[in-house]
Amino acid sequence: LHVSSSYVSIAEKGATATITLHAAGDWKLEKVTTKKNKVEWLTVSPTMGHAGETQISFTAPASLDGRTAEVIVTSNGETQHINVIQGLPTVDNKSYRVTGTCVSINNTTYGNFYLNDGTGQLYVYGTKDAGGNYAWKSFNIEVGDEVTVEGPRSTYNGVGQLKDATFISVKKSLIKVDAVENDTLPVAG
């Protein structure tokens, strides 16, 4: 059981996004939730299917605020989590919670890195732990990891950023990239 993307982004004005699900057997959408509650604003179709390839659509109406949901699909004892985001979820009137893929790391002292949330890139200018300390090594963030941070949003030179964001979580990438010393790889790999 796998999907073309485990992260779905829907525009705030309302839209439909589609991913491809590949299953070796019958599959079923188990639940659509936030961390605590059932989600009423998101429509997922279809909600069950058979072995093979299936296009799954995620539809949401326009929203004034950002929101998130988690969709859980099961097949033959396997589980696939799909994170859905619409706009930027507001934690309070000054902070935003953002989840995306770390695409580059610029500074490991203060924790400066670029995050792609599916709608574009955002610069995280400083990453702190819950106690307000710069503790980059303890976060264990690498390029390709899915990272969740929250903090005040601003712009710098036209690029959106979160300044001194608070680290929430990291989901390690399943792909590991090792550096190579030359520009080409041999045919044998």
Side-chain angles (χ1 to χ4, degrees):
L1 175 67
H2 62 90
V3 292
S4 60
S5 176
S6 62
Y7 188 79
V8 175
S9 179
I10 300 173
E12 266 185 283
K13 65 183 178 184
T16 297
T18 304
I19 65 168
T20 304
L21 177 122
H22 301 273
D26 290 349
W27 63 270
K28 178 179 169 185
L29 189 138
E30 291 294 329
K31 58 184 170 179
V32 180
T33 63
T34 61
K35 297 250 185 253
K36 300 176 185 174
N37 304 314
K38 185 176 178 184
V39 171
E40 302 292 336
W41 55 268
L42 181 66
T43 303
V44 183
S45 179
T47 58
M48 62 179 61
H50 302 290
E53 186 175 291
T54 306
Q55 298 293 313
I56 301 179
S57 297
F58 300 82
T59 304
S63 173
L64 297 175
D65 297 318
R67 48 194 177 180
T68 62
E70 181 180 43
V71 177
I72 299 174
V73 179
T74 60
S75 176
N76 294 333
E78 293 182 5
T79 302
Q80 178 68 52
H81 295 262
I82 303 166
N83 295 304
V84 180
I85 186 170
Q86 183 178 21
L88 285 175
T90 304
V91 176
D92 56 41
N93 62 356
K94 295 181 181 178
S95 295
Y96 293 89
R97 181 171 284 200
V98 180
T99 300
T101 303
C102 175
V103 293
S104 69
I105 300 169
N106 296 40
N107 180 298
T108 57
T109 302
Y110 298 106
N112 301 350
F113 64 100
Y114 280 94
L115 192 69
N116 188 322
D117 69 351
T119 62
Q121 286 199 87
L122 179 73
Y123 190 57
V124 179
Y125 185 65
T127 310
K128 296 183 175 186
D129 62 17
N133 304 304
Y134 295 109
W136 180 258
K137 287 185 181 183
S138 69
F139 306 144
N140 193 25
I141 297 171
E142 298 175 289
V143 171
D145 292 347
E146 182 181 273
V147 181
T148 301
V149 292
E150 68 181 44
R153 188 181 189 290
S154 63
T155 57
Y156 181 74
N157 288 337
V159 176
Q161 74 174 7
L162 294 183
K163 186 172 182 182
D164 289 332
T166 301
F167 171 80
I168 304 298
S169 66
V170 62
K171 193 181 295 182
K172 300 304 287 177
S173 171
L174 299 177
I175 300 172
K176 182 74 174 167
V177 178
D178 292 327
V180 293
E181 292 184 19
N182 56 14
D183 293 331
T184 60
L185 293 174
V187 174

